Amino acid sequence: MASLKQQLWDPIAGFGVTFRTMFRKPVTVQYPFEKRPTAPRFHGRHQLNRHPDGLEKCIGCELCAWACPADAIYVEGADNTEDERFSPGERYGRVYQINYLRCIFCGLCIEACPTRALTMTNEYELADDDRAKLIYEKKDLLAPLLPGMEEPPHDMRLGDSERDYYLGAGLPGWSESGAAVPAKEDVESEAAHS
Amino acid sequence: MGIEEKLPAGVLLTTVEGVVGYFRKASVWPATFGLACCAIEMMTTGGPVYDTGRFGMEVFRASPRQADLMIVAGRVSQKMAPVLRQIYDQMPEPKWVLSMGVCASSGGMFNNYAIVQGVDHVVPVDIYLPGCPPRPEMLLDAILKLHHKIQTSKLGVHKEQELEEQELTALESASTSEMKGLLR
């Protein structure tokens, strides 16, 4: 037999919680209308980066494909020629495919990439109704062209020698004495992303 | 043009397909079918923070006979495949399948003999959702894309025509062994 306290007070205490909650702000994220930003280093869709003149950073070394635990990446390299230059070095990635139905977003490919050609964005809305559409090709993954960039193939625009190119001789702020010294905050943000 | 001009102001006309799609998408009840870690994210999506109740799908039905949508959340082992098929068969029409996570969609990193390499070997899938596991926003995004698909789906004679066209294109398209693409 329930005591008098259990019979009278407990329902009031119980509904008290319900009543108090009516005055609290709802915790619901109104997702499609208001998107909560992801963590800065969120593992989202990949991106193939470019050099400041628009040439691709990918050299087709396949290290990302070898690092991938799910075998989601397929790379096929090819040689750059003087007429058709896609990346500043000797080779470039002719075929680059990531199967997002295999990719587990672990980021091992990003760690393996020697030129930081492959990084991850914060984009995560990838659902689709077709398996074939979820194999992203090079054209889907390449970074958009920023001002000053030009769609490859074209010559190396940032310097005559490879040393000049990688030091950024064609960029504003470059000095003959050493290299283009990046501003301090650039260095810090790069360190935070690597 | 006919009846539209004779109607009083404030009256809208639509097609039966549009109305049925609107009602169907507004209360899609998912079946409880969590298989692995993706199920944890699926439960989070049903919880108060992400709240699928906003889209009329807060009730995860334990019985497939009351469910419209099967969210296959997690890797499907060979032993689970007949169970999955039976649950799908027990669901009443119209029914949809959302393949959540890479394991359900293609086997993911488990490329071995124990795991079905993609749940579409067993049931027809409407929406594939990558991610390992996908965050609740990704699942909500996939659900909204499915809602759009339900809204624009066809009925009756139109549906039959659509299915016939799909079958024709599938018959005419090259088989995988005949494809000569970039992959060797």
Side-chain angles (χ1 to χ4, degrees), chain A residues 96-175:
Chain A
Y96 200 100
Q97 294 177 337
I98 297 183
N99 184 355
Y100 278 103
L101 289 181
R102 288 269 177 201
C103 174
I104 56 169
F105 300 95
C106 60
L108 288 181
C109 44
I110 283 47
E111 288 182 35
C113 186
T115 58
R116 285 196 70 72
L118 192 65
T119 50
M120 276 170 154
T121 61
N122 289 2
E123 190 187 323
Y124 53 79
E125 287 161 340
L126 296 168
D128 214 319
D129 62 349
D130 194 0
R131 290 183 81 148
K133 281 185 215 157
L134 278 159
I135 300 176
Y136 279 48
E137 309 246 355
K138 199 172 152 188
K139 60 178 188 319
D140 308 313
L141 293 167
L142 268 175
L145 290 164
L146 294 176
M149 291 183 176
E150 196 190 322
E151 183 69 34
H154 61 74
D155 290 337
M156 290 157 66
R157 298 272 157 78
L158 297 180
D160 301 326
S161 68
E162 286 201 348
R163 184 179 173 279
D164 278 359
Y165 185 90
Y166 288 119
L167 292 176
L171 293 175
W174 188 76
S175 63

Side-chain angles (χ1 to χ4, degrees), chain B residues 23 26 92:
Chain B
F23 287 141

Side-chain angles (χ1 to χ4, degrees), chain A residues 28-29 36 101-102 127-128 131, chain B residues 48-50 106 108 117 120 128:
Chain A
T28 310
V29 181
R36 205 159 59 171
L101 289 181
R102 288 269 177 201
D128 214 319
R131 290 183 81 148
Chain B
V49 177
Y50 294 99
S106 76
Q117 297 297 304
D120 48 3
Y128 297 93

Side-chain angles (χ1 to χ4, degrees), chain A:
Chain A
M1 185 66 202
S3 68
L4 202 65
K5 186 226 166 211
Q6 274 173 333
Q7 283 182 32
L8 291 179
W9 175 247
D10 285 2
I12 297 171
F15 280 114
V17 176
T18 314
F19 188 69
R20 269 205 315 277
T21 313
M22 285 163 64
F23 299 101
R24 289 212 190 123
K25 224 179 133 203
V27 289
T28 310
V29 181
Q30 302 293 328
Y31 160 67
F33 315 107
E34 295 166 29
K35 289 178 188 172
R36 205 159 59 171
T38 59
R41 294 171 67 179
F42 178 70
H43 284 194
R45 185 180 68 81
H46 297 78
Q47 176 172 283
L48 283 170
N49 295 316
R50 295 173 189 271
H51 282 289
D53 63 347
L55 287 179
E56 292 155 14
K57 282 188 178 176
C58 179
I59 52 172
C61 67
E62 301 186 18
L63 279 178
C64 45
W66 280 92
C68 184
D71 279 348
I73 308 184
Y74 178 80
V75 189
E76 211 175 282
D79 284 331
N80 280 318
T81 55
E82 283 308 313
D83 311 320
E84 270 202 328
R85 176 169 287 286
F86 289 90
S87 74
E90 216 173 282
R91 306 257 293 163
Y92 74 100
R94 187 172 68 87
V95 181
Y96 200 100
Q97 294 177 337
I98 297 183
N99 184 355
Y100 278 103
L101 289 181
R102 288 269 177 201
C103 174
I104 56 169
F105 300 95
C106 60
L108 288 181
C109 44
I110 283 47
E111 288 182 35
C113 186
T115 58
R116 285 196 70 72
L118 192 65
T119 50
M120 276 170 154
T121 61
N122 289 2
E123 190 187 323
Y124 53 79
E125 287 161 340
L126 296 168
D128 214 319
D129 62 349
D130 194 0
R131 290 183 81 148
K133 281 185 215 157
L134 278 159
I135 300 176
Y136 279 48
E137 309 246 355
K138 199 172 152 188
K139 60 178 188 319
D140 308 313
L141 293 167
L142 268 175
L145 290 164
L146 294 176
M149 291 183 176
E150 196 190 322
E151 183 69 34
H154 61 74
D155 290 337
M156 290 157 66
R157 298 272 157 78
L158 297 180
D160 301 326
S161 68
E162 286 201 348
R163 184 179 173 279
D164 278 359
Y165 185 90
Y166 288 119
L167 292 176
L171 293 175
W174 188 76
S175 63
E176 194 62 42
S177 59
V181 184
K184 202 173 173 229
E185 47 276 24
D186 285 354
V187 177
E188 275 166 4
S189 66
E190 180 68 25
H193 282 95
S194 56

